């Protein structure tokens, strides 16, 4: 009986969460908010998790993973042979701007640590853009860092960027109107649920299989990168992928937004106010740096400012891809830059941080000995 009761309560919690997410999506669509089916569920589910005490909202990870696979499919379809030629041409710029963004993160973390008195390694690992999983895994190997603060800073930055980037993109600063046509309006209008079959079944099986495989080998953001690469290979091989109906795209955003609304838990922090203010300040500073770097990228290459900004925004690749699609920006260009930063952080940043922290520990030990 206890097991049945627990099972029933989980479904009640999931149902409540989905209802809140749907309400948020329709509400934000009604007020003409950018990416309403991502922001609406995120904010309403976050608020609902604080308002409801008898039944706590719950969002299973597999629901979020399903949304990630759908977004990965969309990103993968945007890749063509010309995209890979673009990567070759853009590689020097990718390296330069990624390194500059990480240097900005380092300087921001140093300033925050200096004026707040908090531990520098903790602040730095909480400030590295787009490296939530990698930084948490690395934090577990390093003694003395605060894993709770790192997790909160990473998650709060992601959520803040998801909220502020669309507002910036559609502001007069970027000269983009909210009355734009939806991305790929003609193909979206022609897309239907019936038109998905039978090819979508092959993509669904292959993308899900690749996601599970990449997760097993512990590759970063497995449910995004695995299906995306699978889609690219299938698509370029000549097995055409069908366009997704707008309603399915909205569902994918809802599945991700609802999950994001529940993972931010400021009540678990010590010195809540201080950490929240510092996280907001560092996130805003990183956004300002991204705007400046996007101006440099626009100067280096003839691309719209909105595309360059999304390419360098310190958020997650799936969310930036969703915004790029809503904006009808160059989706493959944005994905290339975001993907490069993700892989760079996964492969290069952890060993570099270990060297930096070991040097700091040696200096501290020498100071204590003297």
């Amino acid at each position: 009986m206890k097991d049945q009761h627990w099972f029933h309560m989980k479904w009640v919690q999931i149902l409540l969460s989905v209802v809140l997410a749907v309400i948020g999506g329709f509400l934000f669509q009604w007020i003409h908010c950018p990416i309403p089916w991502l922001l609406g569920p995120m904010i309403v589910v976050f608020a609902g998790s604080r308002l409801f005490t008898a039944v706590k909202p719950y969002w299973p990870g597999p629901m979020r993973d399903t949304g990630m696979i759908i977004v990965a499919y969309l990103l993968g379809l945007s890749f063509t042979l010309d995209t890979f030629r673009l990567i070759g041409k853009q590689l020097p710029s990718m390296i330069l701007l990624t390194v500059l963004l990480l240097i900005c993160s380092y300087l921001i973390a140093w300033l925050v640590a200096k004026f707040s008195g908090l531990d520098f390694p903790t602040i730095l690992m909480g400030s590295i853009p787009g490296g939530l999983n990698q930084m948490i895994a690395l934090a577990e190997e390093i003694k003395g860092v605060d894993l709770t603060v790192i997790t909160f800073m990473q998650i709060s930055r992601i959520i803040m960027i998801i909220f502020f980037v669309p507002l910036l993109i559609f502001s007069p600063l970027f000269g983009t109107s909210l009355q734009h046509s939806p991305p790929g309006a003609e193909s979206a209008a022609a897309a239907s649920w019936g038109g998905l079959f039978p090819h979508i079944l092959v993509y669904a099986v292959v993308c899900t299989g690749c996601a599970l495989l990449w997760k097993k080998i512990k590759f970063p953001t497995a449910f995004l990168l695995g299906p995306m690469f699978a889609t690219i290979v299938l698509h370029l091989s000549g097995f055409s992928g069908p366009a997704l109906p707008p309603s399915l795209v909205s569902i994918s955003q809802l599945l991700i937004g609802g999950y994001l609304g529940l993972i931010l838990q400021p009540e678990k922090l010590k010195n809540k106010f201080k950490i929240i203010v510092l996280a907001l300040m560092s996130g805003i500073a990183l956004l300002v740096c991204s705007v400046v770097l996007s101006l440099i990228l626009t100067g280096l290459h003839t691309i719209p400012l909105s595309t360059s900004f999304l390419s360098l925004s310190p958020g997650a690749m799936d969310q930036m891809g969703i915004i790029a699609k809503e904006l009808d920006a160059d989706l493959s260009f944005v994905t290339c830059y975001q993907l490069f930063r993700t892989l760079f952080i996964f492969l290069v940043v952890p060993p570099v941080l270990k060297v930096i922290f070991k040097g700091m520990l040696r200096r501290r030990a020498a100071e204590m000995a003297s």
Side-chain angles (χ1 to χ4, degrees), residues 7-23 45 52 55-60 63 254:
F7 183 80
H8 174 71
M9 287 303 299
K10 282 294 180 185
W11 278 106
V12 170
Q13 293 169 338
I14 294 171
L15 180 61
L16 172 63
S17 304
V18 171
V19 169
L20 290 171
V22 171
I23 291 172
V45 170
F52 292 95
V55 181
K56 296 294 290 183
Y58 174 69
W59 203 273
M63 289 174 62
L254 180 146

Side-chain angles (χ1 to χ4, degrees), residues 78-96:
S78 70
F79 276 74
T80 63
L81 291 175
D82 289 336
T83 302
F84 289 97
R85 297 188 189 100
L86 172 68
I87 292 175
K89 293 179 181 178
Q90 295 285 334
L91 191 57
S93 299
M94 289 179 181
I95 296 172
L96 171 65

Side-chain angles (χ1 to χ4, degrees), residues 353-363:
L353 287 183
K354 286 183 179 180
V355 171
I356 292 173
F357 294 158
K358 282 181 181 178
M360 291 176 62
L361 288 174
R362 288 196 197 99
R363 286 195 296 272

Side-chain angles (χ1 to χ4, degrees), residues 10-49:
K10 282 294 180 185
W11 278 106
V12 170
Q13 293 169 338
I14 294 171
L15 180 61
L16 172 63
S17 304
V18 171
V19 169
L20 290 171
V22 171
I23 291 172
F26 279 115
L27 176 64
F28 274 56
Q29 188 177 59
W30 179 64
I31 63 176
H32 301 290
C33 181
I35 53 170
W37 289 97
L38 182 70
L39 292 180
M42 183 183 77
I43 293 172
V44 174
V45 170
F46 174 80
S49 66

Side-chain angles (χ1 to χ4, degrees), residues 46 50 64 132 151-152 155 158-159 258-266:
F46 174 80
R50 271 89 193 137
R64 187 280 309 265
L132 173 61
T151 304
F152 177 81
I155 293 171
I158 291 170
I159 291 177
Y259 178 84
L260 291 172
L262 284 182
I263 60 176
L264 188 63
Q265 299 177 334

Side-chain angles (χ1 to χ4, degrees), residues 149 201 222 362:
V149 173
L201 297 176
R362 288 196 197 99

